[in-house]
Amino acid sequence: MRAVLDVILLVLQLYSYVIIIVAIMSWLIAFNVINIYNDLVRSIWNGLNAVTEPLLRPIRNMLPSLGGIDISPIILLLLIILIQDIIQRYIYPNVF
């Protein structure tokens, strides 16, 4: 059972890295540092959005409009950290 928890923790950590990459890439696209018309950039962007949007969209729908600021990745990262902490402190020590 601990192996399953280790895999869950690893997936959560990798997903948090993907969220950070998407946030940085969105800034680079917004400031026109990287071009979305490049096929490689567009395919990476579409792939990362396909992975992160299912969890970010409900958070965006619940948040009030803050103008051009999107804090949904920060909230999702905080939720991932909370889930990891709950697993490490409460579930992992009690599993044999």
Side-chain angles (χ1 to χ4, degrees):
M1 186 64 179
R2 287 189 177 199
V4 174
L5 291 174
D6 287 335
V7 170
I8 292 171
L9 288 172
L10 180 65
V11 168
L12 288 172
Q13 188 66 39
L14 291 174
Y15 197 75
S16 65
Y17 291 148
V18 170
I19 293 169
I20 293 169
I21 291 170
V22 167
I24 292 172
M25 197 168 173
S26 70
W27 294 338
L28 293 175
I29 290 171
F31 292 119
N32 209 12
V33 175
I34 57 176
N35 194 352
I36 198 71
Y37 297 113
N38 186 342
D39 289 334
L40 178 65
V41 173
R42 185 174 48 244
S43 65
I44 292 171
W45 178 247
N46 289 338
L48 291 175
N49 272 337
V51 172
T52 58
E53 277 301 313
L55 291 178
L56 289 174
R57 190 176 302 121
I59 296 172
R60 285 186 187 127
N61 289 339
M62 288 188 296
L63 291 176
S65 178
L66 298 174
I69 300 172
D70 184 20
I71 61 168
S72 60
I74 296 169
I75 293 173
L76 185 57
L77 284 174
L78 289 174
L79 286 173
I80 289 173
I81 291 170
L82 176 71
I83 292 169
Q84 287 175 335
D85 194 42
I86 288 171
I87 290 173
Q88 289 174 349
R89 289 182 188 231
Y90 300 111
I91 298 174
Y92 199 80
N94 296 324
V95 174
F96 301 107

